[in-house]
Amino acid sequence: MSFVTLRHFTLDDIAARTGLLRETRFQANLTDFAVSTADDALLANQRRTIAEEHHVKQIFTLCGPNDETVGFAWITTIDWRSQSCELSFGVLPKFRGGFGITAVRAALHYLRSELNMQVIINQVLDHNTMLQSAESLAAASRVRCEFDSYTVGQWRTAMFWTDTEDDARIQDLKVAQRRRDLAERIRAKANQAS
Amino acid sequence: MTDLERLDPPAAAAALRATPDGARGFLGVDPVTQNDMAIAGELTRLGAHVFRRGQALLGFVPNSEQPRQATVATTSADPDLMTEFLTFLGSYQRCTSYVAMVPSGSAAESTFNGCGFHRTGTLRGHRYQTGQYQDVHVYFATVGDLCRS
C-alpha cells in the first residue's frame, strides 16, 4: 500500500491550501500570485475550481499514512480527447522531503488508472527541490526554458518532461527489479547467518 | 416501502462517496473520478432521485421521452430490495418499464439478474476503471417481468 493516497479536494481543505499559496518557498518555487490576491478572492477561486471547473482543472489532497494532509496535487490543461494533462504539486512545509517520490507515484498512478491519462506533462522550476532532488529533476528534464516565469523578484528557469505509459512500464519494471534485488540480499544475509 | 430516505443531490454525493466501490457507475456517476460537487451537479442535471434504505442507496432517473420508464441503480446486491423499489416506483411514478446500466462484475449484476430483469445488450469497453476498459450491461424489465420474478 502506498504511503500517500489521493482524495478529491474539498471546501474543508481550502484553508490549508491557501496557507500553502502564501508560503514563501512555495511562492518562489511555483507561483507568487497569492501575494497580491485578497483572501476572499483566493477562497472564491478555489471554491470555483471545486464547483465549476472539474472538467478543466482538478485539485487533489495528498494524504499521508494516517490520513493527515501532506500537500496537494492539481491537474490543469486537461485534454480529455488527447488524454493528457499538466500535473503540479505543493507539499506542506513540515512534510517536505518525506513524501516526494511516493506522492508523485500515487498521483501518476491515479491519473493513469482512473482518469485514463496517457501523457502527463511536468513543469518544475529548476531551483524547486521541494519534491524531488536536483539530480532527479536534471535526469527527468527533456526541455529547459530560461526566463519561464518571474517569482519573488527573480526570473526562473523551467524544466519540462512528460510521463507516458511506456515510462510508467519502465519505472514499474525498475521498482520490481529493485525489490527482487533487495529480497535476494536479505536471503543471502539470512543464509550467511544460519 | 415507507422507510426510504430521500437524499438531496449533495447528500446523495456524500452517501455515494461513503460506498465507493458499490457506487462506481451508479446512474453514471463515479466517486473515484468526480468530486462531490461534480456528482451533485450531474445528479441534478440528470433529474436523478436518490434514496437511502439502511446501508443501501437506490436511485432512478425518469426517461424524459417516455416518462413511465425509469433508469434505475442500486449499491446493493439484494434483489428483493430492488423489487420493493420498483414497486414503489410503480405506485408513485406510474412506471411500467425499467432500464439499468450495470458495470460488468459489479454487485448490482446479481441484483438485476435476481429480480426479473433481462440483459438486453452489452456496451463493450464503455467505462474505464482501475486501469482497464470495462463492459457495461444493459438490463431491461417491464412490470410483467417483475411480477413473474
PDB file of all heavy atoms in Angstrom, chain A residues 3 24 44 81 83-84 90-91 93 120 126 146 158 193:
ATOM      1  N   PHE A   3       2.339   4.968   0.690  1.00  0.00           N
ATOM      2  CA  PHE A   3       2.369   5.838   1.860  1.00  0.00           C
ATOM      3  C   PHE A   3       1.505   7.075   1.633  1.00  0.00           C
ATOM      4  O   PHE A   3       1.127   7.743   2.566  1.00  0.00           O
ATOM      5  CB  PHE A   3       3.806   6.266   2.163  1.00  0.00           C
ATOM      6  CG  PHE A   3       4.627   5.165   2.744  1.00  0.00           C
ATOM      7  CD1 PHE A   3       5.678   4.625   2.035  1.00  0.00           C
ATOM      8  CD2 PHE A   3       4.341   4.662   3.995  1.00  0.00           C
ATOM      9  CE1 PHE A   3       6.437   3.597   2.574  1.00  0.00           C
ATOM     10  CE2 PHE A   3       5.089   3.641   4.550  1.00  0.00           C
ATOM     11  CZ  PHE A   3       6.144   3.094   3.833  1.00  0.00           C
ATOM     12  N   THR A  24       6.359  31.343   1.599  1.00  0.00           N
ATOM     13  CA  THR A  24       7.413  31.976   0.808  1.00  0.00           C
ATOM     14  C   THR A  24       8.082  31.014  -0.174  1.00  0.00           C
ATOM     15  O   THR A  24       8.287  31.345  -1.344  1.00  0.00           O
ATOM     16  CB  THR A  24       8.498  32.560   1.747  1.00  0.00           C
ATOM     17  OG1 THR A  24       7.840  33.377   2.689  1.00  0.00           O
ATOM     18  CG2 THR A  24       9.507  33.369   0.973  1.00  0.00           C
ATOM     19  N   ALA A  44     -12.672  32.269  -3.132  1.00  0.00           N
ATOM     20  CA  ALA A  44     -13.633  32.144  -4.239  1.00  0.00           C
ATOM     21  C   ALA A  44     -13.034  31.368  -5.407  1.00  0.00           C
ATOM     22  O   ALA A  44     -13.706  30.548  -6.044  1.00  0.00           O
ATOM     23  CB  ALA A  44     -14.067  33.534  -4.695  1.00  0.00           C
ATOM     24  N   ARG A  81      -9.720  14.470 -24.792  1.00  0.00           N
ATOM     25  CA  ARG A  81      -9.657  13.749 -26.066  1.00  0.00           C
ATOM     26  C   ARG A  81      -8.248  13.228 -26.319  1.00  0.00           C
ATOM     27  O   ARG A  81      -8.059  12.095 -26.738  1.00  0.00           O
ATOM     28  CB  ARG A  81     -10.104  14.667 -27.208  1.00  0.00           C
ATOM     29  CG  ARG A  81     -10.166  13.951 -28.542  1.00  0.00           C
ATOM     30  CD  ARG A  81     -10.749  14.819 -29.625  1.00  0.00           C
ATOM     31  NE  ARG A  81     -12.116  15.209 -29.321  1.00  0.00           N
ATOM     32  CZ  ARG A  81     -12.870  15.950 -30.120  1.00  0.00           C
ATOM     33  NH1 ARG A  81     -12.394  16.387 -31.257  1.00  0.00           N
ATOM     34  NH2 ARG A  81     -14.097  16.278 -29.781  1.00  0.00           N
ATOM     35  N   GLN A  83      -6.115  12.782 -23.972  1.00  0.00           N
ATOM     36  CA  GLN A  83      -5.738  12.067 -22.746  1.00  0.00           C
ATOM     37  C   GLN A  83      -4.419  12.588 -22.183  1.00  0.00           C
ATOM     38  O   GLN A  83      -3.500  11.821 -21.898  1.00  0.00           O
ATOM     39  CB  GLN A  83      -5.659  10.554 -23.013  1.00  0.00           C
ATOM     40  CG  GLN A  83      -7.009   9.949 -23.389  1.00  0.00           C
ATOM     41  CD  GLN A  83      -6.890   8.509 -23.801  1.00  0.00           C
ATOM     42  OE1 GLN A  83      -6.567   8.211 -24.942  1.00  0.00           O
ATOM     43  NE2 GLN A  83      -7.157   7.607 -22.881  1.00  0.00           N
ATOM     44  N   SER A  84      -4.342  13.902 -22.055  1.00  0.00           N
ATOM     45  CA  SER A  84      -3.145  14.497 -21.477  1.00  0.00           C
ATOM     46  C   SER A  84      -3.535  15.606 -20.510  1.00  0.00           C
ATOM     47  O   SER A  84      -4.634  16.171 -20.587  1.00  0.00           O
ATOM     48  CB  SER A  84      -2.237  15.054 -22.580  1.00  0.00           C
ATOM     49  OG  SER A  84      -2.823  16.193 -23.170  1.00  0.00           O
ATOM     50  N   GLY A  90       2.184  20.724  -4.549  1.00  0.00           N
ATOM     51  CA  GLY A  90       2.609  21.615  -3.477  1.00  0.00           C
ATOM     52  C   GLY A  90       2.566  20.827  -2.179  1.00  0.00           C
ATOM     53  O   GLY A  90       1.514  20.284  -1.818  1.00  0.00           O
ATOM     54  N   VAL A  91       3.702  20.709  -1.497  1.00  0.00           N
ATOM     55  CA  VAL A  91       3.760  19.927  -0.264  1.00  0.00           C
ATOM     56  C   VAL A  91       3.868  20.890   0.914  1.00  0.00           C
ATOM     57  O   VAL A  91       4.603  21.877   0.860  1.00  0.00           O
ATOM     58  CB  VAL A  91       4.968  18.956  -0.299  1.00  0.00           C
ATOM     59  CG1 VAL A  91       5.075  18.189   1.014  1.00  0.00           C
ATOM     60  CG2 VAL A  91       4.816  17.988  -1.463  1.00  0.00           C
ATOM     61  N   PRO A  93       5.032  22.574   4.318  1.00  0.00           N
ATOM     62  CA  PRO A  93       6.440  22.676   4.751  1.00  0.00           C
ATOM     63  C   PRO A  93       6.926  21.533   5.629  1.00  0.00           C
ATOM     64  O   PRO A  93       8.011  20.993   5.419  1.00  0.00           O
ATOM     65  CB  PRO A  93       6.462  24.016   5.498  1.00  0.00           C
ATOM     66  CG  PRO A  93       5.377  24.818   4.868  1.00  0.00           C
ATOM     67  CD  PRO A  93       4.297  23.832   4.497  1.00  0.00           C
ATOM     68  N   ILE A 120       1.339  12.714 -19.249  1.00  0.00           N
ATOM     69  CA  ILE A 120       1.277  13.678 -18.150  1.00  0.00           C
ATOM     70  C   ILE A 120       2.477  14.607 -18.260  1.00  0.00           C
ATOM     71  O   ILE A 120       3.627  14.150 -18.338  1.00  0.00           O
ATOM     72  CB  ILE A 120       1.237  12.931 -16.803  1.00  0.00           C
ATOM     73  CG1 ILE A 120      -0.065  12.118 -16.732  1.00  0.00           C
ATOM     74  CG2 ILE A 120       1.308  13.923 -15.647  1.00  0.00           C
ATOM     75  CD1 ILE A 120       0.034  10.856 -15.968  1.00  0.00           C
ATOM     76  N   ASP A 126      13.733  25.119 -11.993  1.00  0.00           N
ATOM     77  CA  ASP A 126      14.922  24.286 -11.751  1.00  0.00           C
ATOM     78  C   ASP A 126      15.502  24.407 -10.345  1.00  0.00           C
ATOM     79  O   ASP A 126      16.306  23.573  -9.942  1.00  0.00           O
ATOM     80  CB  ASP A 126      15.996  24.540 -12.823  1.00  0.00           C
ATOM     81  CG  ASP A 126      16.660  25.894 -12.676  1.00  0.00           C
ATOM     82  OD1 ASP A 126      16.158  26.740 -11.890  1.00  0.00           O
ATOM     83  OD2 ASP A 126      17.685  26.098 -13.357  1.00  0.00           O
ATOM     84  N   GLU A 146      14.585  28.939 -20.230  1.00  0.00           N
ATOM     85  CA  GLU A 146      15.026  30.069 -19.390  1.00  0.00           C
ATOM     86  C   GLU A 146      13.991  31.180 -19.446  1.00  0.00           C
ATOM     87  O   GLU A 146      13.223  31.281 -20.404  1.00  0.00           O
ATOM     88  CB  GLU A 146      16.392  30.545 -19.869  1.00  0.00           C
ATOM     89  CG  GLU A 146      17.477  29.493 -19.641  1.00  0.00           C
ATOM     90  CD  GLU A 146      18.870  29.995 -20.020  1.00  0.00           C
ATOM     91  OE1 GLU A 146      18.981  31.164 -20.425  1.00  0.00           O
ATOM     92  OE2 GLU A 146      19.808  29.204 -19.909  1.00  0.00           O
ATOM     93  N   ALA A 158      12.558  26.990 -16.198  1.00  0.00           N
ATOM     94  CA  ALA A 158      11.678  25.833 -16.018  1.00  0.00           C
ATOM     95  C   ALA A 158      12.212  24.628 -16.769  1.00  0.00           C
ATOM     96  O   ALA A 158      12.844  24.760 -17.820  1.00  0.00           O
ATOM     97  CB  ALA A 158      10.271  26.155 -16.522  1.00  0.00           C
ATOM     98  N   ALA A 193      23.969 -16.025   8.045  1.00  0.00           N
ATOM     99  CA  ALA A 193      23.807 -16.027   9.495  1.00  0.00           C
ATOM    100  C   ALA A 193      23.469 -17.412  10.025  1.00  0.00           C
ATOM    101  O   ALA A 193      23.798 -17.750  11.157  1.00  0.00           O
ATOM    102  CB  ALA A 193      22.702 -15.038   9.894  1.00  0.00           C
TER     103      ALA A 193
END
